[in-house]
């Protein structure tokens, strides 16, 4: 029987070879007669139709109400659509609007308010959106602070928002409450029951914050929550849907890959890649075995009782459509494609994915017939197209554009589809439509976007802690599709700085004592790649200055020769070792 280590190498090998390989643009699109450029421009037009009407009719509210052309606050009064759409602006190439919105957010968003906010949603949308925008600021032409990416106004905003969430983690188990008051902390009467995803979806944003700011508290609470879920899995290796964060008793014992659980599994994989963490990947691979053993039937995934493995709900939920994309990230492309094609048949049946679909009956579930313009199937198509270039995946993108424009487009934006059977609409446009759905559609049709960089282009940035490589690709999308540059996590080494400060104090001490002269050499940061140099040699360069950045003549390490850590590092850094 293979252990987790062997499985990890087996799954990660194909993933990282695919990420390091630059596939020819266009792929099989021409064979099917699909005009990729035309659909890319239609997606761009969809974005601006929604975005401009949000600005005209809804800002500064969180979301647009497209049927009445006004706005509403939904997740905390943060001008949420503006935060969620910010990095999409840059992916579409709109540098000037990105810069304008950054200034608007700095002047207008206040987290010191008496509002009950979802810990989960505030993290993925607000903290994730601000972190992504912070790390993309230089690419967008903003003048960054000395010390960037280890400092900056958007980073400070992200940190402020995340600190407002920390009281939720003060439980006996380390698993957070689902809601927190941004001014007063957790309300005394707050329910201790939280969904699994609401506990296990913090490691990407919180670890990024810890690495950039030097404060370990964020990553520490995120890891403690992840491990608490792992500790409380059932004897057959499954987790339920809702748990009491005080007593660690499972309240809802349905196990599956969909709503209430989904992004927990996603963040184990993405956290493993972002942090080069074997333990997180081992946890996911153990879960993956149990999921295949107990929930998978004919390339569908059902809901089962977490302790017995018996089927409790034979339904497909639209939120589960992220799973093929996640499978592709661990290299399980064949299984991913088979499951994707199952989900695509549902899309073809209705022109969208209903929230619940009864698999045996082949039809929607009562009161779950709606499609709120979710991104998950498009997200999986984007990942799988990068891996396979199968033109079927572009056809899904085409169908999504046609369906959304035909059914959902109204004068003031795009409206949630309340019922896919008769195309009735609801008066809401969720912020994830601009953050995720449009972004993944655009990236599906834009093979040369900077997000798809394979490491051949990169920037070397000088920080107060030495040099680091940025913009080399391998972006990790959080569950709201906000891209995080994993190389940035290696730019802000506070511990190294503190070591240097001690050495400087020692120099001063010995010079005052007029002792024997000696030199303490600051060792280069060996873990940061072959280009890392002694910061003393960089003293003549300004922090944030770009050096010798474009088109390295060196080749990437080949996938078969890389160790686990080096393989993961290739996703976010460029290594110049040709051995």
């Amino acid at each position: 029987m293979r252990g987790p280590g062997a499985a990890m190498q087996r799954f990660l090998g194909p993933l990282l070879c695919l990420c390091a390989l630059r596939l020819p643009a266009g792929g099989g699109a021409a064979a099917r007669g699909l005009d990729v450029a035309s659909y890319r421009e239609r997606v761009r037009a969809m974005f601006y139709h929604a975005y401009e009407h949000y600005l005209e009719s809804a800002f500064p509210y969180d979301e647009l109400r497209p049927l009445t052309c006004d706005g509403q606050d939904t997740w905390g009064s943060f001008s949420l659509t503006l935060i969620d759409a910010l990095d999409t602006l840059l992916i579409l190439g709109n540098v000037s609007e990105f810069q304008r919105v950054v200034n608007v957010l700095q002047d207008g968003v206040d987290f010191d308010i008496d509002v009950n906010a979802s810990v989960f949603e505030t993290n993925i949308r607000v903290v994730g959106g601000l972190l992504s925008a912070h790390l993309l600021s230089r690419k967008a032409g903003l003048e960054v602070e000395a010390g960037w990416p280890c400092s900056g106004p958007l980073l400070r905003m992200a940190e402020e928002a995340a600190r407002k969430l920390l009281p939720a983690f003060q439980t006996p188990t380390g698993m957070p409450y689902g809601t927190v008051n941004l001014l007063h902390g957790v309300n005394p009467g707050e329910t201790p029951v939280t969904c699994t995803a609401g506990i296990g979806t913090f490691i990407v944003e919180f670890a990024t914050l810890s690495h950039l700011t030097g404060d370990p508290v964020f990553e520490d609470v995120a890891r403690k929550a992840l491990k608490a879920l792992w500790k409380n899995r059932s004897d057959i290796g499954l987790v339920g849907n809702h748990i009491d964060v005080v007593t660690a008793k499972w309240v809802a014992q349905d196990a599956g890959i969909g709503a209430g659980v989904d992004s927990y599994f996603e963040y184990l994989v993405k956290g493993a890649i972002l942090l080069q963490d074997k333990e997180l990947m081992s946890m996911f691979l153990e879960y993956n075995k149990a999921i295949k053993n107990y929930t998978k039937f004919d390339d569908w995934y059902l809901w089962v009782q977490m302790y017995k493995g018996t089927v409790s709900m034979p339904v497909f939920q639209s939120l589960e459509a992220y799973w093929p994309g996640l499978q592709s990230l661990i290299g399980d492309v064949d299984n991913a494609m088979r499951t994707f094609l199952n989900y695509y048949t549902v899309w073809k049946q209705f022109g969208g994915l209903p929230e619940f679909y009864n698999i045996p009956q082949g039809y929607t579930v009562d009161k779950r017939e709606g499609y709120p313009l979710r991104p998950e199937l498009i997200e999986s198509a984007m990942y799988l197209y990068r891996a396979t270039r199968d033109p079927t995946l572009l056809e899904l993108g085409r169908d999504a554009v046609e369906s959304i424009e035909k059914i959902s487009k109204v004068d003031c934006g795009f409206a949630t589809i309340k019922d896919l059977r008769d195309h009735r609409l609801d008066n809401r446009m969720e912020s994830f439509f601009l953050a995720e759905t449009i972004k993944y559609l655009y990236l599906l049709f834009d093979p040369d976007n900077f997000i798809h960089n394979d490491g051949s282009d990169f920037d070397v940035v000088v920080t107060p802690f030495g040099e680091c490589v940025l913009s080399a690709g391998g972006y990790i999308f959080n569950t709201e599709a906000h891209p995080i540059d994993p190389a940035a996590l290696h730019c802000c080494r506070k511990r190294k700085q503190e070591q240097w400060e001690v050495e400087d104090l020692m120099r001063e001490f010995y010079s005052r004592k007029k002792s024997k002269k000696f030199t303490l050499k600051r060792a280069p940061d060996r873990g940061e790649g072959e280009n890392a140099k002694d910061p003393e040699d960089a003293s003549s360069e300004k922090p944030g200055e770009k050096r010798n950045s474009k088109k390295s003549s060196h080749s990437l390490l080949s996938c078969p020769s890389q160790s686990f850590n080096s393989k993961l590092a290739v996703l976010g850094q460029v290594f110049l070792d040709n051995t």
Side-chain angles (χ1 to χ4, degrees):
M1 178 176 175
R2 291 177 181 266
M8 200 176 309
Q9 295 291 343
R10 177 163 53 91
F11 283 118
L12 284 172
L15 156 68
L16 292 151
C17 285
L18 284 169
C19 288
L21 178 65
R22 185 73 167 183
L23 294 168
R32 302 285 182 98
L34 191 65
D35 188 345
V36 171
S38 172
Y39 275 97
R40 181 171 64 246
E41 293 312 304
R42 285 179 65 178
V43 175
R44 183 193 299 273
M46 290 168 65
F47 173 84
Y48 285 111
H49 178 69
Y51 178 75
E52 289 170 359
H53 279 289
Y54 166 76
L55 292 180
E56 292 172 8
S57 304
F59 176 78
Y61 291 103
D62 281 340
E63 292 179 356
L64 170 69
R65 298 204 305 169
L67 300 184
T68 52
C69 300
D70 56 13
Q72 63 179 346
D73 283 334
T74 51
W75 295 112
S77 191
F78 305 127
S79 300
L80 192 58
T81 294
L82 208 57
I83 296 175
D84 250 353
L86 186 50
D87 50 31
T88 308
L89 283 166
L90 187 60
I91 286 171
L92 268 60
N94 194 336
V95 170
S96 59
E97 181 65 3
F98 181 99
Q99 295 174 354
R100 187 191 74 84
V101 171
V102 167
N103 291 327
V104 169
L105 293 176
Q106 289 180 59
D107 294 338
V109 175
D110 180 13
F111 299 116
D112 197 23
I113 52 178
D114 188 5
V115 167
N116 294 325
S118 163
V119 180
F120 170 83
E121 298 290 353
T122 304
N123 176 56
I124 67 171
R125 302 189 194 215
V126 177
V127 179
L130 291 171
L131 281 174
S132 177
H134 164 70
L135 293 174
L136 293 171
S137 293
R138 192 169 174 274
K139 190 169 195 66
L142 285 170
E143 184 176 348
V144 296
E145 292 182 0
W148 180 91
C150 313
S151 65
L154 293 177
L155 177 60
R156 288 189 286 274
M157 289 178 68
E159 182 180 2
E160 181 186 0
R163 288 198 185 280
K164 294 289 186 178
L165 307 181
L166 289 179
F169 290 83
Q170 295 173 6
T171 65
T173 63
M175 295 185 284
Y177 287 97
T179 304
V180 68
N181 184 282
L182 299 182
L183 197 60
H184 304 297
V186 178
N187 292 321
E190 180 62 36
T191 175
V193 178
T194 306
C195 71
T196 302
I199 293 165
T201 310
F202 293 92
I203 192 66
V204 170
E205 298 85 0
F206 276 29
T208 300
L209 260 180
S210 284
H211 281 251
L212 294 180
T213 65
D215 188 341
V217 65
F218 302 107
E219 184 173 352
D220 288 348
V221 298
R223 283 188 180 275
K224 186 174 181 181
L226 284 176
K227 290 179 179 180
L229 287 172
W230 174 252
K231 178 183 176 182
N232 287 286
R233 70 195 187 282
S234 71
D235 290 341
I236 62 174
L238 297 173
V239 289
N241 203 278
H242 284 75
I243 193 170
D244 188 311
V245 300
V246 175
T247 65
K249 300 296 183 184
W250 289 101
V251 176
Q253 298 181 1
D254 295 302
I257 61 171
V261 183
D262 45 7
S263 51
Y264 170 47
F265 296 136
E266 178 187 357
Y267 271 39
L268 288 175
V269 172
K270 291 181 176 179
I273 297 171
L274 181 70
L275 301 171
Q276 305 179 33
D277 191 303
K278 292 182 181 181
E279 181 183 20
L280 295 182
M281 186 60 76
S282 295
M283 291 162 65
F284 174 78
L285 293 175
E286 287 299 312
Y287 280 130
N288 197 36
K289 291 176 187 176
I291 288 165
K292 286 182 176 180
N293 286 339
Y294 294 102
T295 76
K296 186 178 180 182
F297 295 88
D298 293 330
D299 298 308
W300 296 94
Y301 293 84
L302 312 183
W303 288 85
V304 303
Q305 211 282 339
M306 66 176 288
Y307 292 105
K308 300 177 182 177
T310 53
V311 175
S312 59
M313 291 191 296
V315 301
F316 157 61
Q317 299 178 350
S318 62
L319 284 169
E320 296 172 15
Y322 79 98
W323 189 256
L326 193 65
Q327 287 177 299
S328 75
L329 284 180
I330 61 170
D332 195 5
V333 175
D334 290 342
N335 282 318
M337 279 300 297
R338 287 194 293 270
T339 296
F340 174 87
L341 292 173
N342 278 348
Y343 298 167
Y344 189 14
T345 62
V346 179
W347 182 287
K348 289 179 177 179
Q349 184 178 352
F350 295 100
L353 289 186
E355 294 287 67
F356 281 31
Y357 178 83
N358 187 302
I359 297 169
Q361 295 179 4
Y363 207 63
T364 60
V365 174
D366 188 41
K367 298 182 180 178
R368 295 290 187 273
E369 305 94 347
Y371 172 56
L373 311 183
R374 292 198 187 277
E376 282 76 17
L377 189 62
I378 300 162
E379 172 187 0
S380 285
M382 189 277 288
Y383 278 114
L384 284 167
Y385 186 66
R386 299 303 301 170
T388 68
R389 298 297 184 174
D390 187 329
T392 302
L393 300 156
L394 292 176
E395 292 171 8
L396 177 277
R398 173 203 64 195
D399 292 351
V401 171
E402 300 292 350
S403 293
I404 292 171
E405 284 201 322
K406 180 179 179 180
I407 302 172
S408 176
K409 187 175 182 180
V410 294
D411 288 343
C412 283
F414 292 87
T416 287
I417 301 170
K418 188 173 184 178
D419 194 326
L420 279 165
R421 299 170 301 175
D422 57 16
H423 296 174
R424 283 181 293 143
L425 300 178
D426 205 0
N427 193 19
R428 188 174 185 186
M429 187 183 80
E430 292 228 35
S431 68
F432 61 63
F433 178 65
L434 296 181
E436 300 184 76
T437 309
I438 291 291
K439 183 181 292 155
Y440 284 131
L441 269 175
Y442 191 83
L443 289 172
L444 177 63
F445 292 126
D446 188 14
D448 298 320
N449 196 277
F450 75 87
I451 288 289
H452 297 315
N453 183 10
D454 63 357
S456 56
D457 295 342
F458 59 93
D459 296 336
V460 178
V461 176
V462 180
T463 77
F465 313 104
E467 287 185 342
C468 65
V469 174
L470 292 174
S471 304
Y475 293 91
I476 305 297
F477 288 100
N478 86 335
T479 198
E480 190 77 2
H482 295 306
I484 302 295
D485 185 345
L489 275 66
H490 301 271
C491 292
C492 310
R493 296 289 181 160
K494 298 291 186 182
R495 288 188 296 272
K496 178 63 72 175
Q497 181 200 33
E498 289 163 1
Q499 175 188 334
W500 296 344
E501 289 171 351
V502 169
E503 293 172 358
D504 289 339
L505 288 172
M506 290 174 66
R507 283 194 186 89
E508 184 179 356
F509 174 80
Y510 277 98
S511 64
R512 287 181 179 179
K513 290 285 188 178
K514 296 184 178 180
S515 300
K516 183 177 179 180
K517 186 177 180 181
F518 66 97
T519 301
L520 281 171
K521 183 178 177 63
R522 296 177 182 177
D525 225 352
R526 296 298 181 188
E528 304 303 290
E530 293 295 322
N531 272 347
K533 75 174 192 177
D534 190 325
E536 287 184 332
D537 298 334
S539 59
S540 62
E541 297 172 41
K542 296 179 181 178
E545 184 179 348
K546 182 176 175 181
R547 297 181 63 258
N548 191 22
S549 59
K550 292 289 183 180
K551 296 293 183 186
S552 167
S553 61
H554 299 272
S555 62
L556 291 169
L557 286 168
S558 61
C559 285
S561 67
Q562 296 171 57
S563 66
F564 175 78
N565 282 357
S566 294
K567 280 187 189 177
L568 293 183
V570 166
L571 287 176
Q573 296 172 273
V574 174
F575 284 82
L576 306 180
D577 182 357
N578 289 316
T579 58

